[in-house]
Amino acid sequence: MKPNGFTVGVVIAILIVISYKVIGLLATGSKQEAEGYTLSLLDIGYQALSSPKKVPDASFQLYKTPAVEGGAEANLANYKGKPVVLHFWATWCGPCVAELPHYDSFAATGEIVNIALCSGGDTETFEKVDNFYKSHSIKKLPIALDARGSLYRSFEIRGLPTTVFINKEGFEIGRIVGMIDWKDKKVVKLLANLLQK
């Protein structure tokens, strides 16, 4: 059965209405950006805690620079008085591998302590992470290992990468599970402002 002129006209009218709606939505998005639409923490997947939570008292191995072997035991309590970004990652985690070089660039900015804590299990050794740093040109982040997984368990991490935000008083205020676009200046500014409060 061939469609009659009326049916074809209705279909065309519906397609025109849908097209106008789509174009309107796209134009609204562009207009928001042009008018200085501000990015929110919700837009980047930030999960705020309803009340700040004291960070666990668990230690990890810290190597001051990637080129220097012989780590020292460190504890998050050592950083009280400074805001901390604690980034859980692993060398075998694809999103972590893609993200870490950009996080390294962020680590050079401001007064924030940045700890990229390799929490991939007991196969993650200093040598393995050092080779990873060299092959990915990571120069600003010290090597930090959570080989026993004590911080991973204490923070109840459910997946990698996960980034935990700790205020100057030593309390977790929130986290982002998954990748962060560390190249986006708006994202970086938003996160830096969050930790300066």
Side-chain angles (χ1 to χ4, degrees):
M1 181 174 148
K2 288 186 176 178
N4 62 28
F6 177 76
T7 306
V8 172
V10 169
V11 170
I12 291 172
I14 291 171
L15 290 174
I16 290 171
V17 169
I18 291 171
S19 298
Y20 277 116
K21 292 281 186 190
V22 169
I23 291 169
L25 287 172
L26 293 173
T28 303
S30 300
K31 186 178 176 187
Q32 284 178 334
E33 285 180 25
E35 292 174 356
Y37 172 74
T38 54
L39 191 67
S40 75
L41 289 169
L42 192 59
D43 292 331
I44 60 173
Y46 179 75
Q47 303 165 13
L49 295 183
S50 54
S51 60
K53 181 174 156 186
K54 184 140 180 57
V55 297
D57 184 25
S59 59
F60 57 95
Q61 288 298 114
L62 183 67
Y63 301 80
K64 293 295 178 191
T65 63
V68 177
E69 217 175 316
E73 196 166 277
N75 193 296
L76 291 173
N78 300 349
Y79 303 103
K80 196 169 179 184
K82 295 181 179 177
V84 176
V85 174
L86 180 60
H87 182 73
F88 289 87
W89 73 286
T91 59
W92 46 259
C93 161
C96 302
V97 171
E99 179 184 24
L100 204 66
H102 303 295
Y103 176 53
D104 185 53
S105 298
F106 171 82
T109 63
E111 298 296 315
I112 299 168
V113 174
N114 290 278
I115 303 169
L117 189 62
C118 188
S119 300
D122 55 8
T123 61
E124 301 282 35
T125 62
F126 168 81
E127 293 76 17
K128 188 173 183 180
V129 177
D130 188 40
N131 288 334
F132 177 91
Y133 273 35
K134 287 173 184 169
S135 65
H136 291 83
S137 300
I138 294 172
K139 298 180 175 152
K140 296 163 188 80
L141 290 165
I143 292 176
L145 296 177
D146 184 30
R148 293 187 304 266
S150 53
L151 277 173
Y152 185 90
R153 286 188 304 278
S154 298
F155 275 95
E156 299 177 354
I157 301 300
R158 300 284 178 243
L160 298 174
T162 294
T163 307
V164 176
F165 299 90
I166 301 167
N167 67 16
K168 294 175 184 178
E169 288 75 40
F171 287 81
E172 177 185 350
I173 55 173
R175 62 180 61 188
I176 294 175
V177 178
M179 290 179 70
I180 297 172
D181 187 358
W182 298 103
K183 297 176 292 183
D184 187 324
K185 290 179 182 175
K186 287 184 178 178
V187 170
V188 168
K189 185 176 180 184
L190 195 63
L191 295 176
N193 289 342
L194 168 73
L195 287 166
Q196 295 307 325
K197 293 178 181 177

